Short mmCIF file of all heavy atoms in Angstrom, two decimals:
data_model
loop_
_atom_site.label_atom_id
_atom_site.label_comp_id
_atom_site.label_asym_id
_atom_site.label_seq_id
_atom_site.Cartn_x
_atom_site.Cartn_y
_atom_site.Cartn_z
N MET A 32 157.02 100.54 141.11
CA MET A 32 156.32 101.15 142.23
C MET A 32 157.28 101.88 143.17
O MET A 32 156.93 102.91 143.76
CB MET A 32 155.52 100.09 143.01
CG MET A 32 154.17 99.80 142.39
SD MET A 32 153.11 101.28 142.39
CE MET A 32 152.90 101.55 140.66
N ILE A 33 158.51 101.36 143.29
CA ILE A 33 159.52 102.05 144.10
C ILE A 33 159.80 103.42 143.47
O ILE A 33 159.84 104.45 144.16
CB ILE A 33 160.82 101.22 144.20
CG1 ILE A 33 160.55 99.94 145.01
CG2 ILE A 33 161.94 102.04 144.85
CD1 ILE A 33 161.70 98.95 145.00
N VAL A 34 159.94 103.42 142.15
CA VAL A 34 160.22 104.67 141.45
C VAL A 34 159.06 105.66 141.63
O VAL A 34 159.26 106.84 141.91
CB VAL A 34 160.49 104.40 139.94
CG1 VAL A 34 160.64 105.71 139.18
CG2 VAL A 34 161.72 103.53 139.78
N VAL A 35 157.82 105.14 141.49
CA VAL A 35 156.64 106.00 141.65
C VAL A 35 156.62 106.60 143.06
O VAL A 35 156.41 107.81 143.24
CB VAL A 35 155.34 105.20 141.38
CG1 VAL A 35 154.12 106.00 141.83
CG2 VAL A 35 155.23 104.85 139.90
N ALA A 36 156.87 105.75 144.06
CA ALA A 36 156.79 106.23 145.44
C ALA A 36 157.85 107.30 145.71
O ALA A 36 157.57 108.34 146.31
CB ALA A 36 156.97 105.06 146.40
N LEU A 37 159.07 107.05 145.22
CA LEU A 37 160.13 108.04 145.40
C LEU A 37 159.79 109.30 144.61
O LEU A 37 160.04 110.43 145.06
CB LEU A 37 161.48 107.48 144.93
CG LEU A 37 162.06 106.37 145.80
CD1 LEU A 37 163.34 105.81 145.19
CD2 LEU A 37 162.34 106.89 147.21
N GLY A 38 159.18 109.10 143.45
CA GLY A 38 158.78 110.24 142.62
C GLY A 38 157.80 111.12 143.36
O GLY A 38 157.92 112.35 143.34
N VAL A 39 156.83 110.51 144.01
CA VAL A 39 155.84 111.30 144.74
C VAL A 39 156.49 112.02 145.92
O VAL A 39 156.30 113.22 146.12
CB VAL A 39 154.67 110.41 145.22
CG1 VAL A 39 153.76 111.19 146.17
CG2 VAL A 39 153.88 109.89 144.03
N ALA A 40 157.31 111.26 146.67
CA ALA A 40 157.89 111.83 147.89
C ALA A 40 158.92 112.91 147.57
O ALA A 40 158.96 113.97 148.20
CB ALA A 40 158.53 110.74 148.74
N ILE A 41 159.77 112.63 146.55
CA ILE A 41 160.86 113.56 146.25
C ILE A 41 160.46 114.53 145.13
O ILE A 41 160.58 115.74 145.27
CB ILE A 41 162.14 112.79 145.87
CG1 ILE A 41 162.55 111.90 147.05
CG2 ILE A 41 163.26 113.76 145.50
CD1 ILE A 41 163.63 110.91 146.71
N GLY A 42 159.95 113.96 144.04
CA GLY A 42 159.65 114.77 142.86
C GLY A 42 158.62 115.85 143.15
O GLY A 42 158.81 117.01 142.76
N PHE A 43 157.57 115.49 143.86
CA PHE A 43 156.52 116.48 144.13
C PHE A 43 157.01 117.60 145.04
O PHE A 43 156.41 118.66 145.11
CB PHE A 43 155.28 115.80 144.75
CG PHE A 43 154.33 115.24 143.73
CD1 PHE A 43 154.79 114.80 142.50
CD2 PHE A 43 152.96 115.15 143.98
CE1 PHE A 43 153.91 114.28 141.55
CE2 PHE A 43 152.08 114.64 143.04
CZ PHE A 43 152.55 114.19 141.83
N SER A 44 158.12 117.33 145.75
CA SER A 44 158.62 118.36 146.67
C SER A 44 159.08 119.59 145.89
O SER A 44 159.07 120.70 146.41
CB SER A 44 159.76 117.82 147.53
OG SER A 44 160.91 117.63 146.73
#
Side-chain angles (χ1 to χ4, degrees):
Chain A
M32 277 298 116
I33 293 172
V34 174
V35 168
L37 291 175
V39 171
I41 300 170
F43 275 29
S44 70

